[in-house]
Amino acid sequence: YRLLILQMILIPILFFAQELTVRLGLVTGCGHGELIKKQFGSFWAWVSVSTLIICCIGAIINEFSGLAGVGSLFGIPAWMTMVLVIALLSLMALTGSYKSVERIAIFIGLFEFAFLGVAFIAHPSIQQIMEQVSHIPIHNSQYLYLAAANIGAVIMPWMIFYQQSAVVDKGLNISHLKICRWDTAIGAVITQLIMAAALVMMAATVGQPHVTHTHPNAPLETVQEISHALVPYLGSVTAKIIFSLGMIGAASIAAIVVSLTAAWGLGEITGYKRSLEHHPKDAPWFYLTYILVLILGGFLVASHWINLVSLSVGVNVMNALLLPIVLGFLFLLSRKALPEKYKLKGVYAWIVGLALFITASFGVYGGISGIFY
């Protein structure tokens, strides 16, 4: 529960970052990597995209681990789950347009609302929530490490690249700025409500003292173990189905986004054709990169050496440690690459700049504190 306040604080910061990303894409018609290359040169473009690729590799392993865990709940081997997921996601991209991929992703993403239902069924104590959120252990290095992971899970480097490339690939222009801002604001609120629901779900069930007393050595390192811990509260079948739907929604949509982001990002600085509107024959490198990212992630997950919980936290802390580069470029582009009418300026520029600076600084501080202390 002590992480709940952070989720609310991150809502406006998430909006600031994504609104700037959308604005840059709509006004310039360029993806994020392409715009960095135009404004700062190839070297800095490669630096930025290199951080992107690192984050994408970590993220795809993370998301596929979740899907493999869901498969194992129903007795499906990890390798079989990976083959099925890679085949479906590849088929989706190879045979569809951007709009069809977006609609499929939105439909799958709706499963994440299952976490809201689980949080409600878990009957959290309002009194306990209020007690914990009023006592934040700001000097605890383990808390700071988890807080950094939360920041990295909300504001991800690949999110910035994806959203800017997506508005370009979708064919949007400056006339769509107002509706895109509303879309971004609503999305920022919804995603943080789901994040908060997941926290409440775990805190109200396996986070309770009497559960620890009953199962003092129970590990929570895989999707199966987390789901089994929820069984006493939700019932075996209900726990599996609801938790699995939420995991499928979260992991699948992230896998789609991450793979597309890697393919778009590399294309923006190398120059190969990069659009879901292109036929695979016309944009072979784009589709090859997309599929290779999926295959690499699936192979590593099927190798069975991955601890889901530790990996998830570690990947998101890595995201937080890279935020100074990502948010730094985002802020500079908003000041330099846009025409005067749409440029980030005035008091709003100071507010946004300060918010992004504090977020990046806290993410780095929290990550380093947890790693070295």
Side-chain angles (χ1 to χ4, degrees):
Y1 292 136
R2 293 186 175 94
L3 290 165
L4 283 176
I5 290 293
L6 180 60
Q7 311 315 312
M8 302 303 105
I9 293 173
L10 286 171
I11 290 176
I13 299 170
L14 178 59
F15 172 78
F16 290 156
Q18 290 192 306
E19 190 276 334
L20 292 182
T21 306
V22 169
R23 197 190 311 186
L24 286 167
L26 294 179
V27 176
T28 67
C30 298
H32 198 67
E34 182 182 4
L35 200 55
I36 291 175
K37 184 177 180 179
K38 285 184 176 182
Q39 295 294 326
F40 301 103
S42 295
F43 173 78
W44 289 112
W46 276 107
V47 168
S48 182
V49 171
S50 296
T51 64
L52 167 70
I53 298 302
I54 292 171
C55 291
C56 284
I57 292 173
I60 198 70
I61 296 172
N62 188 14
E63 307 308 335
F64 275 7
S65 297
L67 292 172
V70 170
S72 67
L73 286 176
F74 299 93
I76 304 174
W79 69 266
M80 189 179 296
T81 301
M82 291 299 95
V83 169
L84 181 61
V85 169
I86 292 170
L88 290 175
L89 294 184
S90 298
L91 185 66
M92 177 195 69
L94 290 169
T95 60
S97 62
Y98 178 83
K99 286 186 177 180
S100 64
V101 171
E102 182 182 63
R103 287 167 183 166
I104 293 171
I106 290 174
F107 173 74
I108 296 173
L110 291 175
F111 293 164
E112 293 182 65
F113 283 103
F115 288 129
L116 294 173
V118 177
F120 178 78
I121 295 172
H123 301 295
S125 166
I126 301 301
Q127 181 181 355
Q128 193 175 32
I129 292 175
M130 296 306 296
E131 288 176 356
Q132 291 203 14
V133 298
S134 61
H135 294 87
I136 307 298
I138 196 65
H139 299 296
N140 185 307
S141 61
Q142 291 181 325
Y143 175 83
L144 291 174
Y145 188 72
L146 285 177
N150 267 247
I151 292 172
V154 175
I155 305 173
M156 301 154 289
W158 48 268
M159 174 194 77
I160 302 296
F161 277 82
Y162 175 83
Q163 191 164 11
Q164 189 164 333
S165 298
V167 297
V168 174
D169 205 18
K170 196 174 181 178
L172 303 181
N173 55 50
I174 196 60
S175 66
H176 299 99
L177 180 58
K178 184 176 181 180
I179 189 65
C180 283
R181 280 172 170 164
W182 275 105
D183 183 42
T184 301
I186 294 170
V189 173
I190 290 175
T191 190
Q192 290 311 97
L193 286 178
I194 292 173
M195 180 84 83
L199 287 172
V200 169
M201 172 188 72
M202 296 305 296
T205 54
V206 298
Q208 294 302 306
H210 67 273
V211 177
T212 305
H213 177 72
T214 305
H215 305 283
N217 298 312
L220 291 173
E221 297 177 350
T222 67
V223 173
Q224 307 97 290
E225 289 166 353
I226 293 172
S227 179
H228 291 158
L230 294 170
V231 167
Y233 299 90
L234 306 177
S236 180
V237 176
T238 305
K240 281 186 178 181
I241 293 176
I242 296 180
F243 189 74
S244 296
L245 286 176
M247 285 297 297
I248 289 171
S252 298
I253 195 170
I256 294 170
V257 169
V258 167
S259 303
L260 285 174
T261 303
W264 273 327
L266 281 175
E268 286 169 6
I269 61 173
T270 59
Y272 65 66
K273 289 185 178 180
R274 52 190 183 279
S275 175
L276 286 166
E277 302 302 325
H278 290 138
H279 190 274
K281 290 183 179 179
D282 299 322
W285 286 106
F286 170 76
Y287 288 99
L288 181 62
T289 302
Y290 172 83
I291 293 172
L292 283 177
V293 171
L294 294 176
I295 293 174
L296 176 62
F299 174 78
L300 292 173
V301 169
S303 64
H304 295 291
W305 59 267
I306 292 172
N307 177 315
L308 174 62
V309 175
S310 296
L311 176 72
S312 297
V313 176
V315 166
N316 290 315
V317 168
M318 178 182 67
N319 288 343
L321 293 174
L322 293 173
L323 282 181
I325 297 174
V326 178
L327 297 183
F329 273 123
L330 181 62
F331 182 78
L332 291 174
L333 287 173
S334 302
R335 298 277 292 171
K336 184 178 180 181
L338 294 173
E340 189 65 27
K341 182 179 179 181
Y342 300 105
K343 185 180 295 185
L344 183 64
K345 56 187 177 181
V347 176
Y348 185 68
W350 281 97
I351 294 172
V352 171
L354 185 61
L356 297 182
F357 175 77
I358 293 173
T359 302
S361 299
F362 185 79
V364 171
Y365 176 71
I368 292 176
S369 296
I371 294 171
F372 293 105
Y373 299 101

